[in-house]
Amino acid sequence: MRDFLALLQNARRWNLVVGIVGLLGAFWIWQSAVPATATTGGLVPSPREGFPAPDFSLPTLDGEEVTLSDLRGQVVVINLWTSWCPPCREEMPALEVVYGQYREEGLVVLGVNSTFQDNEEAAASFVRELGLTFPILLDRSGAASRRYQLQALPTTYFVDRQGIIRSVVLGGPMSPATIESKIVDLLAEAS
Amino acid sequence: MFPVLELGPLIIPVAGVLLLAGLWLGLELAERTAPHYGVPPADVYGLSLTALLIGVAVARLGYVLQYLDGYLRDPRAILALNANTLHNSAGVVGAVLAALLYLHWRHLPLRRTLDSLAPGLALFAVVLGLAHLASGDAFGAAADLPWVIELWDARRHPSQVYEIVAGLLIFLTIWGFRRSNPFPGFLFAFWLALAATGRLFLEAFRGDSIIVAGSIRQGQLAALLVMLFSFWLLGYWARSQVAEAMGGPTGAPAGATAGDFPRPE
């Protein structure tokens, strides 16, 4: 300890140590440099920020089929919900408000009902009751919910025009202002 | 991994619970360490809590200001706090400023107060690694090694485990030095140097690094700067101690003792 203290107190010798440590650090940074695609951006799809959103094709309540990858070029909000989940029910009107406000600018909202753990008729009735206009998708087998590693209801993914998940919000209910704050920057980005 | 606790309508991520536990443990340890450095334990607690609360409030305010139009239309939403709706850099600046003001207001000695916080910070870093392991954050780069873990659809370096091991080693080192602190500020600057060096080394195994200038990991650049600053600080404070012992500024940089606010009699 005494030697270490003496080294610290000798300005010339300590500055030399700091210089050598700095050079070693810079060398390590250079050694561990990687192209940008080696980190999250270039990886396989996964349900977290920075990764491409996992693709899915699901039927809507109206009987149409929606494929996520077909929506590339638009900002997509994927909201996983069930009709028996109180925060999900409370959040839906906020999603509807924001959808109505920004759909012309390229916003798509997908309400993915985890039908495998819900009642399809109850979900449809709830959607009619609130007069929701965005597509409600039915995940009857639970494949999409599993692919998105659903662990809490509701869970909302904000996907940019390139198909990359930019934010994930676990739980709710979100207010229109919170949803808006998550999409305005994404809508402003070029496709 | 990624467990959540569902308590009725509440969804509580285990990582969040771990962070709270880490905060409590770190504060407890700092309070116990404080008397050894002549700092009142209540002030360490007050300082940490003030910095935390002001930091969160400023982080939230920063986020609201960033998206002001939406929040003006729906002002009640300002109070709906969510970890995803905070401005992190604003929060850090707010917390540091609040801590400095608290130090000044309570006339606390800067270096000795920082020393008393060092073991708690080192312990918190270990729990932060555990929280990362629980949430899957701070994940590793894809790798093909015998000890990889399957995470986010790939086999990866267990970067969170590296973080925990490094954190434990740093904590044990700091704990070992807590009674033989050779000069005010040593323990804190030493912890900062070890933590920054650890981050500089381990960032190379991360899979979520932000890349700047084409191929450089931003986290490593920041860690290098902090590491150099902490090394410089160690030498600066060590030399200022000699100057103080000699009874004047001779041989020490000007203002070497300016870091300590005088404590009233």
Side-chain angles (χ1 to χ4, degrees):
Chain A
M1 189 61 173
R2 196 178 298 167
D3 291 343
F4 182 50
L5 258 181
L7 177 65
L8 282 174
Q9 287 165 346
N10 184 321
R12 251 182 77 183
R13 285 174 61 198
W14 185 245
N15 287 341
L16 186 67
V17 169
V18 176
I20 291 170
V21 167
L23 284 175
L24 285 173
F27 176 73
W28 180 244
I29 290 175
W30 174 71
Q31 269 291 303
S32 48
V34 287
T37 50
T39 54
T40 50
L43 289 176
V44 288
S46 202
R48 67 162 291 129
E49 280 177 33
F51 283 74
D55 200 12
F56 54 75
S57 284
L58 291 172
T60 67
L61 269 177
D62 306 329
E64 291 171 15
E65 189 88 359
V66 171
T67 300
L68 179 65
S69 52
D70 290 346
L71 303 172
R72 192 66 55 83
Q74 302 185 77
V75 172
V76 183
V77 176
I78 304 168
N79 179 259
L80 278 80
W81 69 285
T82 60
S83 63
W84 48 260
C85 145
C88 304
R89 297 174 70 96
E90 213 168 311
E91 193 167 75
M92 283 297 181
L95 284 165
E96 179 65 27
V97 167
V98 177
Y99 178 61
Q101 204 173 337
Y102 288 99
R103 63 187 296 184
E104 296 300 322
E105 293 178 40
L107 176 71
V108 176
V109 174
L110 300 178
V112 179
N113 177 257
S114 288
T115 319
F116 72 104
Q117 51 178 335
D118 199 0
N119 179 305
E120 197 166 322
E121 185 42 46
S125 158
F126 174 67
V127 169
R128 279 194 303 272
E129 181 188 322
L130 262 67
L132 301 177
T133 58
F134 55 82
I136 300 295
L137 279 52
L138 302 172
D139 185 19
R140 292 184 178 118
S141 69
S145 299
R146 276 193 296 278
R147 189 74 189 86
Y148 276 75
Q149 299 175 10
L150 179 64
Q151 48 180 319
L153 283 166
T155 297
T156 309
Y157 300 85
F158 296 87
V159 182
D160 70 13
R161 295 182 193 274
Q162 277 74 43
I164 306 294
I165 296 174
R166 298 285 288 274
S167 185
V168 181
V169 175
L170 281 180
M174 288 185 292
S175 64
T178 300
I179 300 168
E180 198 180 335
S181 74
K182 293 287 175 191
I183 58 157
V184 284
D185 292 342
L186 306 187
L187 286 169
E189 290 173 3
S191 55
Chain B
M1 206 169 282
F2 338 116
V4 291
L5 297 173
E6 287 206 51
L7 302 173
L10 286 179
I11 296 154
I12 304 167
V14 170
V17 176
L18 279 170
L19 283 178
L20 282 178
L23 192 68
W24 176 75
L25 280 173
L27 275 174
E28 275 290 309
L29 196 59
E31 273 190 287
R32 285 165 196 263
T33 316
H36 184 71
Y37 296 103
V39 178
D43 274 332
V44 168
Y45 194 81
L47 170 76
S48 311
L49 213 60
T50 304
L52 184 72
L53 291 177
I54 301 279
V56 170
V58 173
R60 180 61 179 157
L61 187 66
Y63 190 87
V64 169
L65 288 175
Q66 196 176 353
Y67 302 103
L68 191 59
D69 289 349
Y71 283 102
L72 282 179
R73 282 197 295 275
D74 184 14
R76 279 181 313 168
I78 293 172
L79 298 175
L81 200 59
N82 183 303
N84 277 289
T85 52
L86 297 173
H87 193 299
N88 294 337
S89 333
V92 170
V93 171
V96 169
L97 287 178
L100 288 174
L101 284 173
Y102 190 94
L103 280 167
H104 191 65
W105 172 56
R106 297 289 298 158
H107 301 283
L108 293 173
L110 174 67
R111 288 194 250 162
R112 280 183 282 138
T113 306
L114 289 175
D115 283 338
S116 62
L117 289 172
L121 287 168
L123 183 61
F124 179 75
V126 178
V127 183
L128 183 64
L130 287 169
H132 284 155
L133 190 61
S135 68
D137 284 334
F139 56 85
D144 189 18
L145 295 162
W147 58 87
V148 293
I149 55 172
E150 181 78 27
L151 178 62
W152 303 122
D153 301 301
R155 288 157 59 82
R156 302 178 178 282
H157 276 286
S159 54
Q160 301 95 337
V161 178
Y162 300 161
E163 189 183 347
I164 294 165
V165 172
L168 271 173
L169 290 174
I170 292 171
F171 171 69
L172 291 174
T173 307
I174 292 298
W175 190 248
F177 272 101
R178 77 190 189 287
R179 293 209 185 279
S180 55
N181 198 19
F183 54 84
F186 171 81
L187 204 62
F188 176 77
F190 192 46
W191 166 75
L192 196 61
L194 291 177
T197 307
R199 179 68 193 269
L200 173 61
F201 181 68
L202 292 180
E203 180 76 21
F205 306 103
R206 290 269 290 263
D208 61 343
S209 301
I210 295 171
I211 303 296
V212 294
S215 61
I216 302 296
R217 295 169 193 265
Q218 192 183 55
Q220 284 187 316
L221 276 183
L224 179 66
L225 291 175
V226 173
M227 185 182 81
L228 289 174
F229 172 70
S230 55
F231 271 62
W232 171 82
L233 206 57
L234 275 170
Y236 181 77
W237 280 346
R239 289 193 297 279
S240 77
Q241 188 213 16
V242 174
E244 283 169 33
M246 290 167 69
T250 317
T257 58
D260 281 359
F261 294 111
R263 192 167 180 75
E265 294 300 314

